[in-house]
């Protein structure tokens, strides 16, 4: 009897060991590896950049640095806003470091190139910084998630509101690459659909320092609204030039189609007061956003953009999926991420659709007057919430090949 019990015990122990071993084997190379790539020093570095890397590291630390007993590591690189550099770096990471997840990404052209590599290698990417709605439309892949915002959401949030207030003729100042084209196209569609018209547009290179000729063309157009279909330092330089040339003083209005907290902070409330914009996150909106943002401020010395908050949220969502499934297999993890709602300080009942778009509420904000601001970072007031199903492109209009038709 004693011998039989020993045999049973040994069999049970063996089965348990086998089960534990197979569970652990789900994590390739016994480590979960994340590669963070973004513009780390150029035009778009304030949007994500080094502080986005800090947000990802905060998520890893808050998760405990391990998932199912396996270490979580992260590496980072500067893509310099160049698609070839971004794609080559990610290919190298995957081939030599077996990176599981690529995070960050700001330039839409870089993102589209990187996502092709990620798909070919059957890894995952979560895009937090890029804006082009084409990433989950004609350029969608089964290996990528677009997490924070896109040009469709920004266009419908800001463009529609401006037209409703009488801004029914537009001239676009557009960054001459994928993001700018997508933003101009999405906003133009909203303007026309709302009864307005587009009288013209001019396109400028990325990282333009002199906007004089472009602003003069905008003034000469006679449009009521000058739409800035650019971002980062380009938006800041365009707004500064517009002020110097007296665009607003002469009767035209400016619509910042992708304006971030740091852009307003840099320009000051005197220049930006009254500007309406759409955002996916504002640090002072709820007790939860304030708590996390103050932690982020202690780490970085600055309040977070919606991209920084999205990097943290998406990293946590990914790690929770790895923990629950016991593997870093791309499709298994992505399926878990899609089946689990996002409920945290960033989003309530957010969800990832078949096209890879994470849909969540967006917010129409207005820049405060100097007299309304109570502190250095007290810059926005939230005017209204744009529900998730209204903020993002409906699947019925999708060109993504992953979306079932009919």
């Amino acid at each position: 009897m004693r011998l039989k019990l020993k045999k049973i015990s040994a069999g049970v122990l063996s089965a348990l060991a086998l089960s534990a071993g197979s569970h652990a084997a789900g994590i390739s190379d016994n480590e979960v590896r994340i590669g963070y790539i973004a513009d780390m020093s150029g035009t778009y570095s304030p949007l994500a950049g080094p502080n986005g890397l800090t947000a990802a590291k905060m998520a890893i630390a808050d998760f405990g640095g391990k998932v199912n007993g396996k270490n979580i590591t992260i590496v980072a690189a500067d893509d310099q806003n160049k698609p070839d550099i971004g794609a080559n770096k990610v290919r190298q990471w995957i081939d030599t470091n077996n990176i599981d997840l690529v995070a960050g990404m700001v330039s839409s052209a870089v993102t589209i190139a990187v996502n092709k590599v990620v798909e070919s290698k059957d890894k995952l990417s979560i895009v937090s910084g890029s804006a082009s709605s084409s990433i989950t439309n004609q350029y969608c892949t089964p290996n990528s998630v677009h997490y924070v915002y896109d040009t469709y959401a920004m266009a419908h949030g800001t463009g529609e509101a401006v037209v409703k207030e009488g801004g029914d003729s537009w001239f676009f100042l557009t960054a001459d690459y994928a993001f700018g084209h997508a933003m101009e196209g999405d906003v133009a569609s909203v303007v026309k659909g709302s009864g307005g018209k587009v009288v013209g547009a001019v396109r400028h290179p990325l990282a333009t320092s002199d906007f004089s000729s472009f602003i003069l063309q905008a003034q000469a157009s006679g449009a009521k609204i000058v739409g800035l279909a650019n971002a980062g330092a380009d938006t800041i330089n365009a707004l500064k030039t517009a002020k110097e040339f007296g665009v607003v003083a002469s009767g035209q209005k400016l619509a910042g189609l992708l304006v971030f907290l740091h852009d307003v902070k840099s320009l000051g409330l005197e220049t930006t007061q009254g500007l309406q914009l759409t955002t996916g996150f504002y640090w002072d909106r709820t007790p939860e956003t304030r708590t996390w943002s103050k932690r982020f401020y202690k780490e970085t010395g600055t309040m977070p953009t919606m991209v920084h908050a999205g990097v943290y949220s998406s990293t946590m969502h990914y790690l929770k999926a790895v923990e629950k499934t016991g593997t870093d297999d791309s499709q298994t993890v992505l399926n878990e991420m899609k089946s689990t709602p996002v409920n945290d300080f960033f989003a309530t009942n957010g969800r990832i659709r078949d096209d890879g778009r994470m849909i969540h509420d967006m917010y129409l904000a207005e820049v405060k007057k100097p007299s309304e601001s109570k502190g250095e970072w007290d810059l926005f007031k939230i005017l209204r919430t744009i529900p998730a199903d209204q903020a993002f492109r409906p699947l019925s209009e999708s060109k993504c090949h992953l979306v079932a038709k009919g």
Side-chain angles (χ1 to χ4, degrees):
M1 179 65 74
R2 185 176 298 173
L3 178 61
K4 188 178 289 187
L5 284 172
K6 285 183 177 179
K7 286 183 178 179
I8 292 172
S9 298
V12 171
L13 289 172
S14 176
L16 288 172
L18 181 61
S19 174
S22 63
H23 183 75
I27 306 295
S28 59
D29 298 335
N30 292 317
E31 196 167 67
V32 174
R33 296 170 180 153
I34 300 172
Y36 176 88
I37 191 161
D39 175 0
M40 300 293 273
S41 57
T43 302
Y44 294 153
S45 58
L47 277 64
N51 288 337
L53 177 60
T54 298
K57 289 180 176 179
M58 285 174 64
I60 292 170
D62 288 349
F63 205 81
K66 295 178 183 290
V67 55
N68 294 336
K70 307 302 178 182
N71 287 333
I72 306 165
T73 62
I74 187 167
V75 294
D78 186 345
D79 61 33
Q80 301 175 44
N81 291 318
K82 297 179 179 179
D84 57 335
I85 291 178
N88 289 335
K89 172 54 69 174
V90 168
R91 185 177 292 107
Q92 176 189 340
W93 275 346
I94 295 172
D95 289 344
T96 63
N97 301 99
N98 196 25
I99 289 292
D100 300 300
L101 170 70
V102 181
M105 291 178 283
V106 178
S107 165
S108 296
V110 172
T111 295
I112 291 167
V114 165
N115 279 350
K116 290 179 181 178
V117 175
V118 170
E119 181 182 11
S120 71
K121 302 289 185 178
D122 195 26
K123 297 296 184 178
L124 282 183
S125 72
I126 302 180
V127 182
S128 293
S130 298
S132 178
S133 62
S134 66
I135 291 168
T136 52
N137 202 32
Q138 61 265 42
Y139 294 116
C140 70
T141 85
N143 296 72
S144 59
V145 174
H146 202 176
Y147 203 83
V148 178
Y149 68 105
D150 63 26
T151 50
Y152 185 97
M154 308 306 276
H156 280 256
T158 306
E160 196 169 321
V162 171
V163 173
K164 285 180 178 178
E165 292 182 1
D168 56 4
S169 64
W170 287 62
F171 182 93
F172 289 98
L173 196 59
T174 303
D176 193 12
Y177 74 105
F179 149 68
H181 300 172
M183 177 63 86
E184 179 187 324
D186 285 340
V187 178
S189 177
V190 171
V191 169
K192 294 172 184 176
S194 302
K197 61 182 179 179
V198 175
V199 301
V202 64
R203 292 176 174 175
H204 66 82
L206 177 67
T208 295
S209 58
D210 185 0
F211 276 87
S212 301
S213 65
F214 305 122
I215 292 297
L216 285 171
Q217 291 180 64
Q219 286 182 302
S221 73
K224 293 180 182 178
I225 306 297
V226 178
L228 304 180
N230 49 25
D234 283 334
T235 298
I236 291 173
N237 288 335
L239 286 168
K240 286 180 178 178
T241 306
K243 184 179 181 182
E244 291 172 5
F245 280 70
V247 170
V248 175
S250 65
Q252 290 177 299
K253 292 184 179 181
L254 299 169
L257 302 175
L258 188 55
V259 177
F260 287 82
L261 184 73
H262 292 69
D263 300 331
V264 173
K265 178 71 164 56
S266 173
L267 290 164
L269 297 183
E270 284 288 350
T271 300
T272 57
Q273 59 183 302
L275 184 69
Q276 289 192 343
L277 57 100
T278 303
T279 185
F281 173 85
Y282 180 52
W283 74 270
D284 200 23
R285 191 177 66 84
T286 68
E288 292 77 17
T289 60
R290 284 190 286 275
T291 296
W292 184 83
S293 297
K294 288 175 181 177
R295 285 185 56 213
F296 182 86
Y297 183 87
K298 288 182 180 179
E299 294 284 341
T300 64
T302 186
M303 284 297 180
T305 65
M306 61 176 167
V307 176
H308 298 143
V311 169
Y312 179 98
S313 174
S314 61
T315 302
M316 289 292 286
H317 193 58
Y318 168 77
L319 293 174
K320 288 176 181 178
V322 173
E323 180 181 54
K324 186 170 182 179
T325 59
T327 181
D328 55 7
D329 173 73
S330 299
Q331 294 306 315
T332 303
V333 172
L334 183 54
N335 286 337
E336 176 62 26
M337 291 172 67
K338 287 181 176 179
S339 67
T340 306
V342 179
N343 283 299
D344 58 12
F345 71 93
F346 178 77
T348 301
N349 292 323
R351 61 182 179 88
I352 300 171
R353 303 188 309 197
D354 290 344
D355 59 351
R357 176 68 258 171
M358 200 282 270
I359 65 168
H360 54 91
D361 293 347
M362 298 288 285
Y363 307 96
L364 182 66
E366 183 175 283
V367 177
K368 290 185 173 183
K369 299 175 183 177
S371 59
E372 295 174 321
S373 178
K374 298 178 181 178
E376 181 183 10
W377 292 98
D378 182 23
L379 305 176
F380 296 170
K381 51 185 175 184
I382 302 299
L383 300 181
R384 67 183 178 95
T385 297
I386 307 168
D389 59 354
Q390 296 177 25
F392 295 94
R393 187 192 311 277
L395 287 179
S396 61
E397 298 178 8
S398 177
K399 296 178 182 178
C400 173
H401 66 279
L402 302 171
V403 176
K405 305 300 180 184

